[in-house]
Amino acid sequence: MSNVSSFGKELRKIRKSKGQTINDLSLKSDVSSSYISQIENGKRDTPQPDLIKKLANGLSIDYYSLMRIAGYMENEELDMVTIDMIVPEIPFDIKEEYLGIGSKKPSRSSNHLSNAEDPTNPSFDLMPDIVIPQTPEMEEMIDDSFRDRLSKSGTAGDFLKILRIFRGIEPQKMAELLNYDIKTYLTIEETLKRDSFFLHENGKKIGSILSVGDFSHWYDFAIKQDKLSRTLKLSENDSYYETICFEVPSIQKKTGKNGVEYYETYSPEELKRNFYNLDYLLKQDNSDVLYKNKVLTVKEIEKVITMLDVLLEDN
């Protein structure tokens, strides 16, 4: 194969910009150095998505951006807008309502974004007229508060609503595109959770309408990007503490006796137990496992797990 693919050229460019040798990338991604070299030299075609994910992890870059470069996904499917991009575009009154200030406040005790578009189901109580001046300083303060509360307690339904508003799609139009009546759609926005079966079944369709690929993936991406942004800002503050977290799946995919696949949600007790399960930490796909400043490869992690099994097995 004489010609180097655009993916091979871009892979070499990104690797060098990261200051990595082929061997460095091989160690971090668990992809053989000879295979990486062959991709970059045009002796192999663009790899499959599972290998692209490993390379993205090794390069510490977004998986979807590398998938776009590889040609597996269209640009509009990877328009991974961030919370920082969306917040300024949300109408001032909706942000006020979400924060419970101004002339409207949510009637529910939670901070869920109310569906004020539904005239048959008002979700706010009138307060004494309090006019919030829309000065640049006030708008910035409201934006910061809205972003903070959204990232900490926003539901999948909240993110669906703000992304819909950001894309300029009215609730009625969204309902039509999803083949639902308006009341049903507004209920979905009001109650949608990340681990809901509805989202697993319709995530790609919703994402296609809103130009983000799979909505579930975008939701995870937006949360992670916001956490990363906050972590980077910590260096600007005099803080002695920093929050480090890893993810534990809240649902599991099972197959019934009839061969039909279904999803089962973990109970709070099971989630807590899984959180403290060392096996989850060692087998995470999106995080590095270090030992004395060395990033363990997949084979080394497997050795650790084998050693633990031997040491802790019942006598």
Side-chain angles (χ1 to χ4, degrees), residues 26-69:
S26 175
L27 179 63
K28 288 179 176 292
S29 64
D30 198 42
V31 177
S32 72
S33 56
S34 61
Y35 190 91
I36 295 172
S37 177
Q38 289 171 355
I39 294 173
E40 292 188 358
N41 292 326
K43 295 180 180 179
R44 279 188 179 271
D45 288 320
T46 300
Q48 295 299 308
D50 58 334
L51 283 178
I52 290 178
K53 184 173 184 179
K54 289 184 177 182
L55 292 170
N57 289 337
L59 292 165
S60 298
I61 64 173
D62 179 54
Y63 166 59
Y64 297 103
S65 65
L66 207 57
M67 284 286 283
R68 177 178 59 193
I69 293 169

Side-chain angles (χ1 to χ4, degrees), residues 194-195 200 220 246-253 263-275 277 279-281 283-286:
R194 174 62 180 86
D195 57 358
H200 283 280
D220 292 338
F246 67 93
E247 296 179 350
V248 176
S250 60
I251 62 172
Q252 57 181 332
K253 189 175 184 180
Y263 293 93
E264 184 173 279
T265 303
Y266 285 117
S267 67
E269 293 75 18
E270 289 172 324
L271 278 175
K272 183 176 180 181
R273 185 167 60 250
N274 290 341
F275 178 81
N277 189 336
D279 195 47
Y280 274 103
L281 175 61
K283 291 181 178 180
Q284 283 193 103
D285 292 332
N286 58 347

Side-chain angles (χ1 to χ4, degrees), residues 111-128:
N111 296 320
H112 191 86
L113 282 167
S114 62
N115 285 309
E117 296 98 328
D118 181 6
T120 67
N121 182 31
S123 54
F124 55 84
D125 299 319
L126 292 180
M127 295 178 62

